[in-house]
Amino acid sequence: MAKGTIRYWAAAKAAAGLAEEPYDAGTLAEALAAASAGRDGEFARVVARSSFLVNGDPVGTREPAAVELPEGGTVEVLPPFAGG
């Protein structure tokens, strides 16, 4: 298990009710599952549509269970942005 920070942006921040929180997880999937615990369905809907960066690197289409999290890392949760 690694410890780090999850940062939420825009709609993810609103759904989470905070800008950031710690993670204690081995993979992105584990961190997102822990973050979802106790939150309403809106949080899960926003996260399902979001893209992710781990230490500034895009996760892209990789499965969250395959994305290992580093000790002291930062996960950015980026919901779709409106505009053009």
Side-chain angles (χ1 to χ4, degrees):
M1 295 284 204
K3 295 178 189 266
T5 303
I6 300 174
R7 290 189 183 145
Y8 300 107
W9 298 97
K13 182 178 175 181
L18 44 81
E20 63 181 48
E21 65 183 328
Y23 70 73
D24 187 356
T27 67
L28 179 57
E30 292 169 358
L32 295 175
S36 293
R39 291 201 165 110
D40 66 17
E42 180 61 19
F43 180 80
R45 282 188 290 280
V46 170
V47 168
R49 295 187 317 260
S50 295
S51 58
F52 306 95
L53 302 176
V54 175
N55 281 349
D57 295 324
V59 170
T61 59
R62 290 181 288 161
E63 287 295 320
V67 179
E68 293 187 19
L69 297 179
E71 183 68 31
T74 301
V75 174
E76 310 276 350
V77 181
L78 306 167
F81 292 93

